[in-house]
């Protein structure tokens, strides 16, 4: 593990464009459950209740959706960035981050100091709510206040259209600009680091392949095996927080001349 960490640090140091690809596993150490681990979201909810078509179909489904979304939002709001988020924030400060392509909707990258222009939120964000009819955007807190006051299904002040958290549900179109930008950055980078993703949710999971096909080195840091481990140049089966903290510490020491030459 030590040797792999040193090698990843060396690659970060020498790479021209480093893309970090983040999944729900990046935020579990901040107390936000992922989808697929035991105790994760799919242990407690039926994925079908999150389908976009169901949200559109009936007022009853929308009510259920907002109940679940509220339950998931409260811990997200209180969550603090963990050492992995902080390490990615540090990579930006060191000038070693092209962008973070994140599947996460929790906004923790921003709390860790990453700037808006460095973060591509591929699956939207829980920080805002949008009207599905006219596109008007609301601050999430404002809408949660309405729910606390007894509103079951919030609607738009302007057009009375249905309001939904600005996250991408199953069956909902991916955001065009973010998706294109993420593919573009993946194809241009020379180092692509996956952190905390099962790499099974498409089209996001195809981005490491795009990077690899275009000549980037691929690093996967995930607690459990992923379907693309065999394609990666380095796989670290470990926890995101301690692993990323050690990598960035090593980048510092390599930068200040404290580390040895690493081959490969
Ligand atoms: P996933 O649930 O499919 O997979 C998470 C992966 O992270 C698993 O393979 C697990 O082994 C690994 N993992 C868990 N804790 C870890 C840790 N501490 N360190 C390293 N690895 C760890 O998540 P996914 O691949 O991101 O895809 C599922 C969808 O989940 C995405 O669309 C995303 O939008 C959504 N999601 C986001 C959040 C969030 O915003 N925090 C939370 C739940 C789900």
């Amino acid at each position: 593990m030590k040797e792999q960490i040193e090698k990843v640090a060396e690659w970060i140091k020498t790479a021209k464009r480093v893309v970090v690809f983040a999944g729900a596993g990046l935020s579990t150490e901040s107390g936000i459950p992922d989808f697929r681990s035991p105790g994760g979201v799919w242990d407690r909810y039926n994925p079908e209740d999150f389908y976009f078509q169901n949200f559109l179909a009936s007022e009853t489904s929308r009510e259920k959706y907002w109940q679940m979304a509220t339950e998931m939002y409260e811990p997200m709001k209180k969550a603090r960035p963990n050492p992995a988020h902080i390490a990615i924030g540090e990579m930006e400060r060191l000038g070693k981050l092209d962008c973070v392509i994140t599947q996460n909707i929790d906004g923790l990258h921003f709390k860790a100091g990453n700037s808006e222009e460095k973060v591509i939120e591929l699956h939207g964000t829980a920080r805002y709510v949008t009207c599905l009819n006219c596109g008007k955007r609301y601050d999430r807190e404002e809408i949660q206040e309405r729910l606390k006051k007894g509103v079951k299904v919030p609607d738009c002040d302007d057009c009375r259209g249905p309001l939904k958290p600005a996250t991408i549900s199953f069956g909902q179109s991916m955001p065009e600009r973010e998706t294109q930008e993420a593919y573009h950055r993946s194809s241009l980078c020379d180092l692509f680091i996956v952190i905390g993703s099962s790499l099974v949710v498409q089209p996001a999971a195809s981005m490491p392949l795009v990077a690899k096909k275009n000549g980037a080195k691929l690093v996967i840091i995930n607690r459990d095996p992923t379907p693309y481990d065999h394609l990666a140049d380095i796989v670290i089966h470990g926890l995101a927080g301690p692993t990323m903290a050690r990598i960035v510490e090593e980048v510092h020491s390599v930068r200040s001349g404290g580390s040895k030459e690493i081959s490969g």
Side-chain angles (χ1 to χ4, degrees):
M1 169 92 99
K2 184 171 182 291
E3 203 180 304
Q4 292 167 314
I5 283 173
E6 286 177 356
K7 202 173 266 190
V8 176
E10 177 67 18
W11 287 350
I12 291 174
K13 192 199 149 205
T14 53
K16 290 197 170 59
R17 283 173 175 263
V18 184
V19 168
V20 168
F21 179 89
L26 184 74
S27 295
T28 55
E29 290 165 62
S30 295
I32 303 173
D34 61 16
F35 274 170
R36 292 174 181 77
S37 296
V41 174
W42 292 157
D43 268 2
R44 289 179 294 124
Y45 293 114
N46 181 352
E48 280 184 23
D49 291 333
F50 286 88
Y51 285 5
F52 189 53
Q53 286 71 8
N54 292 345
F55 185 90
L56 295 178
S58 75
E59 186 80 355
T60 316
S61 296
R62 287 193 279 281
E63 186 176 331
K64 197 168 179 186
Y65 183 97
W66 270 106
Q67 278 168 6
M68 295 184 303
T70 299
E71 198 189 306
M72 287 165 70
Y73 174 69
E74 289 304 324
M76 243 179 233
K77 194 175 74 178
K78 295 194 196 98
R80 305 298 314 151
N82 68 53
H85 298 104
I86 289 164
I88 299 166
E90 184 63 6
M91 283 172 67
E92 180 175 339
R93 281 185 289 279
L94 290 169
K96 294 305 323 182
L97 184 71
D98 182 63
C99 68
V100 189
I101 300 171
T102 190
Q103 299 174 87
N104 295 345
I105 56 171
D106 54 36
L108 283 174
H109 296 292
F110 304 112
K111 289 187 187 168
N114 282 123
S115 49
E116 294 277 342
E117 67 268 20
K118 289 283 182 189
V119 181
I120 301 174
E121 293 181 299
L122 211 48
H123 293 166
T125 174
R127 295 177 297 152
Y128 300 104
V129 167
T130 42
C131 171
L132 295 180
N133 188 41
C134 72
K136 182 171 175 171
R137 191 158 96 153
Y138 296 81
D139 191 68
R140 179 70 182 261
E141 273 307 298
E142 184 191 332
I143 303 305
Q144 290 302 136
E145 281 307 312
R146 291 193 202 176
L147 293 162
K148 274 183 202 148
K149 286 181 185 144
V151 171
K152 300 262 188 260
V153 182
D155 61 13
C156 180
D157 294 336
D158 288 356
C159 72
R160 306 262 75 95
L163 297 185
K164 182 181 169 295
T167 54
I168 306 300
S169 299
F170 294 105
Q172 191 169 6
S173 308
M174 294 285 288
E176 207 168 307
R177 188 183 61 79
E178 283 82 355
T179 307
Q180 276 179 10
E181 185 67 12
Y183 275 120
H184 184 60
R185 301 295 189 99
S186 301
S187 69
L188 290 181
C189 72
D190 52 355
L191 178 60
F192 191 97
I193 307 176
V194 174
I195 310 172
S197 176
S198 61
L199 295 179
V200 298
V201 177
Q202 295 292 352
S206 65
M207 287 170 194
L209 298 184
V210 169
K212 184 77 191 155
K213 215 174 100 197
N214 284 279
K217 289 196 175 77
L218 175 61
V219 174
I220 298 180
I221 300 165
N222 201 52
R223 194 189 57 205
D224 299 309
T226 80
Y228 299 142
D229 284 3
H230 65 289
L231 295 174
D233 297 278
I234 289 184
V235 178
I236 299 177
H237 287 150
L239 294 182
T243 307
M244 282 307 294
R246 283 179 63 192
I247 287 172
V248 168
E249 196 182 310
E250 192 67 28
V251 171
H252 274 293
S253 89
V254 174
R255 281 169 70 89
S256 58
S259 190
K260 46 263 135 209
E261 202 62 28
I262 295 156
S263 60

